[in-house]
Every structure is written in structure tokens, then in C-alpha cells.
Amino acid sequence: MTLNINKPDIKEIFPNTVVNINGEILPPESSHVSIFDRGFLYGDSVYEVTITQNDTLIFLEEHLDRLWNSAHLISMEILFSREELIKQIKKTANAITAKTKYVRVIVTRGESEISLAPTNTSNNLIIICRELPENPSWWYEKGVEFIVSGVIRNDKESLDPNAKSGNYLNSVMAYLEAKKKGVYDSVMVNKDGHITEGTTNNIWMIKDGKITTPPISAGILKGITRDKVIEVCKENNFNFTEDVFTPNELMECDECFITSSTKGIVPVTKLNDTNVGEGTPGKVTKELSQLYQNKLDKYVKDNSNRGY
Amino acid sequence: MTLNINKPDIKEIFPNTVVNINGEILPPESSHVSIFDRGFLYGDSVYEVTITQNDTLIFLEEHLDRLWNSAHLISMEILFSREELIKQIKKTANAITAKTKYVRVIVTRGESEISLAPTNTSNNLIIICRELPENPSWWYEKGVEFIVSGVIRNDKESLDPNAKSGNYLNSVMAYLEAKKKGVYDSVMVNKDGHITEGTTNNIWMIKDGKITTPPISAGILKGITRDKVIEVCKENNFNFTEDVFTPNELMECDECFITSSTKGIVPVTKLNDTNVGEGTPGKVTKELSQLYQNKLDKYVKDNSNRGY
């Protein structure tokens, strides 16, 4: 008497994919965790996503810093060393061949008694590595469409968005709202009515030549691509500031874009069904994209000899 | 080269426990889900906890109503019928023998592509049934100690606490704060500074003979024991109201208690290191406890012939 639920074929959905569970490399269809894992019961986990280019793990050290910071923010102990994790990530990435690879590292608080407070200190480490198909070129050529979501971003006093955790329903709901409206993604406001971030990306606007992105204090994740684009702005003397802004101010900007580790800089050319500027990727966005690409290329060149 | 992490012995932690995964009864140590399950990746799941007494599933229909409502609140489809779920719950509960059993029903949005929007419609159903040891008698005789947490309860515009979901970090953090201070549990306030609920229970206060519990609009879970105690209040003409109150008002109450499906009514006799009233369970709390127990006994008597 098993339940009759249509299940997707994991093997089919995840070609050229491997999973590392606590050091063991497994095919996706055999990759399981205990139902007593706190990641499963409570979303009690932290994670990072990065990519490889020419077999170089992009901004690996920054992602590991942030993983440990996320764990700190939710009082989770990570019981293995950074060096051990790097070894495991490299082993996993080496297990497939692909031009670009997606790498997701998840650390949970492990299994324990069913209690909000863990009754023992443990972890489960899961690393997913898969071939990452090229992002659609139209994202970069035409730009993508956003809405301002009706879902309010998790407040930092409730669950700090700067902890990249397995509690993702807030963003799932905002993303579903975007999909229902047939657009690419949502940006959320905080309880003060200020723009925070997209569901898996940071948002930027340009008005009269001034580049603005919300500060961490608005209740956002400290994006790594965000940090790199801030560096680009500073190195190239752009007029840049971290400041809060409202949906109305965003609607009146000249250019808008998002930043993400898997997507880089993507122009946003429509917001709430209204063109941003001329409705095409703007001049400053294109300049920043090129400068960010140069930084990325330099990183790959400087780090490729480290291998993985 | 597997990771050297201390893992608890699941078999040892969970004696007299069975798990039902999509209809299949398994021992706890063999109970696993795919790491691609959205419950694991995003906390994208809903759940219920109830107990059995004398082999009667307590307030089963109310718990099922709420499970479906939680799913509705996060736009999750449940792909099996209520009748099928009841059959599976009974099958699981029948698989162990115990005076009182703990029953946890979890429904996830299943496996799909790694994307915030599920790329197919699926579920995983997990039912955990275990022997529930008797609650410590001192909870009821002496009462328990609470603090008002520094963690703000998830806002209902961000993630409605009335959806009982797998996103539980907000409550985990408040509970860890209580444990750090050596007390039983935390109660959280909402962004307006009003008391909401404990981490796994509803809170009540009595002042000058008037019984008050926060309304659903304060951003709380519509507790089933809460509903039953409201019935008790109305049936017995107690002076009862659903209304918001602040931590200061709570600190000045004469009696305080919590309600929970696994614990019933538990007196709270200390709050932020200060005695509530005389620091012992109050008269009205004791009266309500007795009346609630009568209601529970009647339920068991009326429903025991339905078997499970």
C-alpha cells in the first residue's frame, strides 16, 4: 500500500551530476539524507553556490568565508576544517567533466533528537556538482523583467537574510508570485518599505549617473558578485553608493541590474510592467558588465594553476 | 576519504519508532529522503504533530484541516486524499505498541530541478510514529520558566506563522536563546512589540480574572489545543478574550500558561527571571487544565470505537 504519487526521474533531471555526502561520491539518484536530519526537519542548514570556469572554482575563499559566517549567524558549529572542505569540493568537482560547473555546498546541523535544540553536535555535508548550461544570451542582450513582490523580505531581527540558510520559503513565495505573473523574478521590500534584494540575487539601480545598491543593513545577503562589482566601481571611480531606496525611486531609475554568482550581471529592463529607461540594457550596466568580466577573467588566469 | 564527523546512533535515539515514507513502513535508521527533496533544500514542507491516547488519534480531523490549510498558505498541492492520509497514519501508528504515541506528519513539495519554482508537481509524505514518554510531572506541578526572546517572530507578510512549515529557524533561534539562559522556552514578540507565541506553543495570560490569548492577526499559529481551550472558556462562561498584549502587560499578569498538542496546558510560573503571581500554578490555570482534560477524555471515549 504505497502512495501513488508521480515522482520525477532524478537521473533524467540531473545528467552529468555527482553528489558528495560526507565525503562519499554518489550518483544523484542514490543521494539521500536521514529524515531526522535537521536540514530536512527545520531547514536548519547553511549553503553556498559557486561555479567553476576552466576548472577554477570562482571566488572560492569568499564563498567559504560566507559559509562560516552563515553558520555563525545561526549558532551552528562546523565540525570539519576549511582545508578538508576544499579537498571535498575539489574531489566532487573533479568527478564530472564540463566547461562550466555548478557547485552547491550544504552543511546541516546533522541528526539528533526531535527537538528545536540539537541534542548532540553533528553535521551533514552535501556537495552537489553538475554541468551548468550556458545562461540564455537574451538575459544579457534584452534584459529581464522584475516585479516588486507583495511578500516582505524576512526581517533581520527574525531571520537575518545575511545567513544563507535552508529556510527559503520567503523567497520561494516571492519567486512563485513572479512566475505566476510570467516574469523573471521578484524584488522584495523590507518592513520599512525599502528595496532589499531579488530571490537569489542583489539589485542595483543607476540614476543620473549614480550607481546605488541597498546596504547590508537593509536586510540583504552580502552577495559575493555584489562585493566584486563594488570593487569594480571603486577601482574605476564610478559614482557609487550603498543606500536605501523605495520601489518608487527604483521605478524612476535610468538603469537597473542584478548580480548573482551563477549569472554575473544581468540587466533588468522592465519593472512592474514598465520599461526601465528605454527598456534596453543601459550604457553603464554594459560598462560594469565588461569590467566585471575582466575581473573574473583575471581571477581565472591567476588561480587556474591552483587546479582543483 | 570520508569525513570524520561524530554521528549519533539513530537506532539508539529512536527506540520504539517507525517511519512511513510514501506508504512504506521503515525503521528509523533506514528512513531517508533524496537530497533533491525541496523539504531538504528549502524547508519547503508542511507538517503536523499529534498524539494518540488509548489508541485514539487526538483531534485528528482538526490536524488534517490545518495541514491542508498550511499547504494552501504556501501554494503547495497535496496530491493524495485525506482518506488516503488517514489510512497511512493509522497504518504507521499500528506499527508500534505504546500507551501514548507521538505522530508527526510531514508533506514536502517533493523533488524537482534545483529552482525556487518547482519544475514538476510532486510530494513526499513522511510519517514518524514513536512512543511518547510521559511529560515530566513538575511541568504541571511547579510550572515552567520562559523568557521574552530577542528574536522577533516571523512577520505574517514574510512567512505566515499560521503555516506550520519546515522553515523553523526563527523558532530554533528563540529556543536556543532560552536554552542558553537555562530556561524552558521563549515567547516572541512581533514587529509591533506584541506577544505572539512560544516556539512550539501558544501563550495565555490571566489578569484580574480575565483570560487573554493573542489573536491570529498577531501572527501566530492557530493552535488546536488553543482552539479547544477557547471552547472550554466559552462553554464554562469564563471571562475570555483574544487580544494583543505587550511583554510589560504579560509581566504583570496573575497567571500565565501555554497550550500545546503534545503537552496540553502547562503553567508558566516565571518570566524573565521574575515570578508570575506567586510563582506557582494559579487557580484559574488549574481549573482550565481540569476542564481541558475532561474534554480530552470525552474525545477519547467518543472516538475510541473508530479505532485506528
Side-chain angles (χ1 to χ4, degrees):
Chain A
M1 193 172 77
T2 57
L3 274 189
N4 183 22
I5 303 174
N6 260 336
K7 308 290 287 177
D9 183 341
I10 295 291
K11 217 169 161 173
E12 197 181 292
I13 304 184
F14 296 103
N16 206 7
T17 304
V18 288
V19 179
N20 178 330
I21 300 188
N22 296 329
E24 192 184 354
I25 301 286
L26 294 160
E29 65 275 18
S30 312
S31 298
H32 298 93
V33 286
S34 168
I35 58 136
F36 297 103
D37 179 83
R38 295 176 60 90
F40 179 70
L41 289 177
Y42 309 119
D44 195 356
S45 60
V46 292
Y47 79 102
E48 280 295 320
V49 172
T50 185
I51 58 170
T52 70
Q53 275 183 7
N54 294 334
D55 286 350
T56 303
L57 284 153
I58 302 299
F59 305 133
L60 177 63
E61 299 296 338
E62 288 85 341
H63 282 282
L64 295 180
D65 284 348
R66 192 169 66 180
L67 183 73
W68 257 265
N69 187 53
S70 293
H72 170 73
L73 287 173
I74 65 163
S75 306
M76 180 195 290
E77 239 186 290
I78 298 185
L79 300 170
F80 43 83
S81 68
R82 192 167 164 124
E83 292 64 42
E84 179 64 22
L85 179 55
I86 294 174
K87 232 193 297 181
Q88 296 294 343
I89 293 173
K90 289 181 177 177
K91 183 171 84 172
T92 318
N94 271 329
I96 64 163
T97 309
K99 193 176 158 222
T100 309
K101 299 170 190 172
Y102 165 101
V103 180
R104 190 184 190 98
V105 177
I106 306 166
V107 185
T108 80
R109 220 182 302 245
E111 297 96 356
S112 76
E113 248 295 4
I114 300 181
S115 161
L116 294 194
T119 48
N120 51 263
T121 307
S122 190
N123 287 142
N124 277 311
L125 167 67
I126 286 95
I127 306 169
I128 304 169
C129 182
R130 60 190 302 206
E131 180 167 7
L132 187 67
E134 241 175 274
N135 290 322
S137 57
W138 70 264
W139 289 358
Y140 305 94
E141 290 158 10
K142 274 190 61 185
V144 298
E145 184 170 356
F146 265 65
I147 52 166
V148 178
S149 174
V151 179
I152 307 298
R153 186 72 179 113
N154 280 338
D155 189 71
K156 54 187 192 297
E157 310 284 331
S158 297
L159 185 59
D160 193 342
N162 203 22
K164 203 168 165 73
S165 83
N167 270 229
Y168 227 78
L169 267 177
N170 177 240
S171 301
V172 165
M173 296 310 293
Y175 192 74
L176 290 179
E177 187 187 351
K179 293 298 130 184
K180 238 180 243 172
K181 292 192 176 156
V183 305
Y184 179 83
D185 198 359
S186 277
V187 68
M188 288 174 273
V189 297
N190 62 23
K191 69 173 191 298
D192 302 320
H194 293 135
I195 293 287
T196 60
E197 55 190 347
T199 62
T200 53
N201 44 65
N202 290 113
I203 194 152
W204 301 63
M205 72 164 189
I206 303 164
K207 175 74 179 170
D208 300 330
K210 189 172 168 190
I211 305 166
T212 310
T213 198
I216 306 306
S217 60
I220 63 165
L221 180 72
K222 197 170 179 294
I224 285 161
T225 310
R226 176 185 178 279
D227 278 350
K228 297 299 168 185
V229 175
I230 290 176
E231 278 176 31
V232 162
C233 287
K234 291 184 176 168
E235 287 159 3
N236 295 277
N237 296 312
F238 279 90
N239 182 1
F240 162 76
T241 182
E242 287 180 76
D243 202 0
V244 294
F245 50 87
T246 63
N248 281 343
E249 289 172 297
L250 180 60
M251 291 296 294
E252 283 165 15
C253 73
D254 304 321
E255 300 181 33
C256 179
F257 63 89
I258 53 158
T259 47
S260 135
S261 289
T262 53
K263 301 179 188 108
I265 292 180
V266 182
V268 177
T269 48
K270 221 170 182 182
L271 250 167
N272 286 350
D273 217 22
T274 305
N275 277 344
V276 176
E278 317 247 299
T280 51
K283 190 175 146 278
V284 184
T285 304
K286 282 182 188 162
E287 251 181 280
L288 287 172
S289 299
Q290 187 54 57
L291 290 164
Y292 173 70
Q293 189 57 50
N294 296 349
K295 190 179 261 297
L296 203 59
D297 292 344
K298 184 172 181 314
Y299 181 90
V300 172
K301 195 168 154 255
D302 292 350
N303 290 274
S304 62
N305 58 340
R306 296 169 61 203
Y308 62 65
Chain B
M1 194 170 77
T2 56
L3 273 189
N4 183 21
I5 303 173
N6 261 336
K7 307 292 286 177
D9 184 342
I10 295 292
K11 217 170 161 170
E12 197 180 293
I13 305 184
F14 296 103
N16 207 5
T17 303
V18 287
V19 180
N20 179 330
I21 300 188
N22 296 327
E24 191 185 354
I25 301 285
L26 294 160
E29 65 275 19
S30 313
S31 299
H32 297 93
V33 286
S34 168
I35 59 136
F36 297 104
D37 179 84
R38 295 177 59 91
F40 180 70
L41 291 176
Y42 309 119
D44 195 357
S45 59
V46 292
Y47 80 102
E48 280 297 319
V49 172
T50 186
I51 58 171
T52 71
Q53 275 182 9
N54 294 335
D55 286 351
T56 303
L57 284 153
I58 302 298
F59 305 133
L60 178 62
E61 299 296 338
E62 288 85 342
H63 283 282
L64 296 180
D65 283 348
R66 193 169 65 180
L67 183 73
W68 258 266
N69 187 52
S70 293
H72 170 73
L73 288 173
I74 65 163
S75 307
M76 181 195 290
E77 239 184 290
I78 298 185
L79 301 170
F80 44 83
S81 68
R82 193 168 165 122
E83 292 64 41
E84 178 65 21
L85 179 55
I86 293 173
K87 234 194 296 181
Q88 295 294 343
I89 293 172
K90 290 181 175 177
K91 182 171 84 172
T92 317
N94 271 330
I96 65 166
T97 309
K99 191 177 160 221
T100 309
K101 300 171 191 173
Y102 165 101
V103 180
R104 189 184 190 98
V105 177
I106 305 167
V107 185
T108 80
R109 218 183 302 244
E111 298 96 355
S112 75
E113 248 296 2
I114 300 182
S115 160
L116 295 194
T119 48
N120 50 265
T121 308
S122 189
N123 287 141
N124 277 311
L125 167 67
I126 286 97
I127 306 168
I128 303 169
C129 183
R130 60 191 301 203
E131 180 167 8
L132 187 68
E134 241 176 275
N135 291 322
S137 57
W138 69 263
W139 289 358
Y140 306 93
E141 290 158 9
K142 275 190 59 185
V144 298
E145 184 171 355
F146 266 65
I147 52 166
V148 178
S149 174
V151 179
I152 307 297
R153 186 71 179 114
N154 280 337
D155 189 71
K156 54 187 192 296
E157 309 284 331
S158 297
L159 185 58
D160 193 343
N162 203 21
K164 203 168 167 70
S165 82
N167 269 228
Y168 228 76
L169 267 177
N170 177 239
S171 301
V172 166
M173 296 311 294
Y175 192 73
L176 291 179
E177 187 187 349
K179 291 299 129 184
K180 237 179 244 173
K181 293 192 174 154
V183 305
Y184 180 82
D185 197 0
S186 278
V187 67
M188 288 174 273
V189 297
N190 62 23
K191 69 174 193 297
D192 302 320
H194 293 134
I195 293 287
T196 60
E197 56 189 345
T199 63
T200 53
N201 44 67
N202 289 113
I203 193 151
W204 300 64
M205 70 164 194
I206 302 164
K207 175 76 179 168
D208 300 330
K210 188 173 168 190
I211 305 167
T212 309
T213 198
I216 306 306
S217 60
I220 62 165
L221 181 73
K222 196 169 180 294
I224 285 160
T225 310
R226 176 184 177 278
D227 278 350
K228 298 298 168 186
V229 175
I230 291 177
E231 278 176 29
V232 162
C233 288
K234 292 183 175 169
E235 287 158 5
N236 294 279
N237 295 313
F238 280 88
N239 183 0
F240 162 76
T241 180
E242 287 179 75
D243 203 359
V244 293
F245 49 88
T246 64
N248 281 343
E249 288 172 298
L250 180 60
M251 292 295 295
E252 285 165 14
C253 73
D254 304 321
E255 298 183 35
C256 179
F257 64 87
I258 53 160
T259 47
S260 134
S261 289
T262 54
K263 303 179 187 109
I265 292 181
V266 181
V268 177
T269 48
K270 220 170 183 182
L271 248 168
N272 286 349
D273 217 25
T274 305
N275 277 344
V276 175
E278 318 249 296
T280 50
K283 188 176 148 279
V284 183
T285 304
K286 283 181 188 163
E287 251 182 279
L288 287 172
S289 298
Q290 189 53 58
L291 290 165
Y292 172 70
Q293 189 57 52
N294 297 349
K295 190 179 263 293
L296 202 59
D297 292 344
K298 183 171 185 311
Y299 181 90
V300 172
K301 193 167 157 256
D302 290 352
N303 290 274
S304 61
N305 59 341
R306 296 169 60 204
Y308 62 64

